[in-house]
Amino acid sequence: MLPFTHAQFLDVFRDYNLAIWPAQVVAVVLGLAALALPFARPAAAGRIVAAILSVMWLWNGVVYHGLFFSGINKAAWLFAGLFVLEGLLLAEAAHAGRLAFPSKRGAAAYTGIGLSLYALVLYPLIGHLSGLAWPAAPTFGTAPCPLTIFTFGTLLLAGPSVPRRLLVVPALWSVIGGSAAFLLAVPQDWMLLASGIVAVPWLLAMRGGGREPR
């Protein structure tokens, strides 16, 4: 059982979305940039993409979990700490240039593109079709679940360069948020659990073997 009702959950998103507008628009612009940069292949693409993800994870940790979600769920303080930790790990990856996007792309990269586009395009569309309308709907980049799906997509694009430590918090959230999606009737979040099941083992195998598994 969750410590809050479905109505309370939607009320939090309604208050949150209205309070932070137009941050949602900025998040979509940053998401599109993060998806385009690996194909434009500037020298700093890995650093910029990691920095964009870092900002989004820090925002979700401090603003969504810490300032809003904690009002109905005390566990949100733990979630806030985890999201801030992931944001700091991504900031370190940006500073050190740990992410790299290979020119040769295989099945993992195309799966990553699919997950990223799902988070950007299909996620809000499914929410709208299911009756979860603005402003009481999770939005890309400013809500934890679509951000996690997008992060898995981006990391699959980076392939073997992804440090294992970047996978821990997204993997945890894919289980926590993905299971809660069924209890809260948020169908667009069902992909969250699937994205973790697919992306984490694949990325670990790629990292361990130094290449994409066949």
Side-chain angles (χ1 to χ4, degrees):
M1 289 291 294
L2 296 172
F4 51 87
T5 66
H6 182 261
Q8 288 175 314
F9 177 72
L10 296 184
D11 285 343
V12 166
F13 266 109
R14 182 179 295 106
D15 294 343
Y16 172 63
N17 281 326
L18 292 175
I20 68 170
W21 175 262
Q24 298 90 341
V25 177
V26 176
V28 170
V29 172
L30 290 175
L32 291 170
L35 183 57
L37 279 167
F39 299 94
R41 294 189 57 75
R47 294 178 185 270
I48 297 171
V49 170
I52 289 172
L53 292 175
S54 173
V55 169
M56 290 181 175
W57 279 85
L58 290 170
W59 175 281
N60 275 267
V62 174
V63 183
Y64 174 72
H65 283 302
L67 299 182
F68 285 86
F69 193 35
S70 61
I72 63 170
N73 185 8
K74 297 308 178 186
W77 291 111
L78 172 60
F79 303 153
L82 289 173
F83 271 66
V84 168
L85 173 61
E86 180 69 9
L88 293 176
L89 290 173
L90 284 162
E92 189 279 332
H95 176 72
R98 300 194 187 282
L99 294 189
F101 297 100
S103 57
K104 184 180 179 181
R105 297 182 177 89
Y110 292 121
T111 302
I113 295 168
L115 289 176
S116 299
L117 289 175
Y118 177 91
L120 275 162
V121 181
L122 292 180
Y123 187 97
L125 179 60
I126 293 171
H128 178 75
L129 293 176
S130 67
L132 198 58
W134 168 269
T139 56
F140 172 81
T142 59
C145 295
L147 170 59
T148 304
I149 296 169
F150 185 81
T151 300
F152 279 135
T154 303
L155 296 181
L156 281 170
L157 276 169
S161 71
V162 177
R164 292 185 181 91
R165 59 183 172 273
L166 293 183
L167 301 177
V168 177
V169 175
L172 286 173
W173 190 253
S174 73
V175 174
I176 295 169
S179 58
F182 291 91
L183 298 174
L184 292 168
V186 185
Q188 64 268 44
D189 281 346
W190 297 346
M191 180 61 74
L192 176 61
L193 186 59
S195 67
I197 291 172
V198 170
V200 172
W202 207 340
L203 284 164
L204 290 174
M206 292 166 70
R207 183 71 179 181
R211 62 183 178 85
E212 181 178 328
R214 295 185 182 276

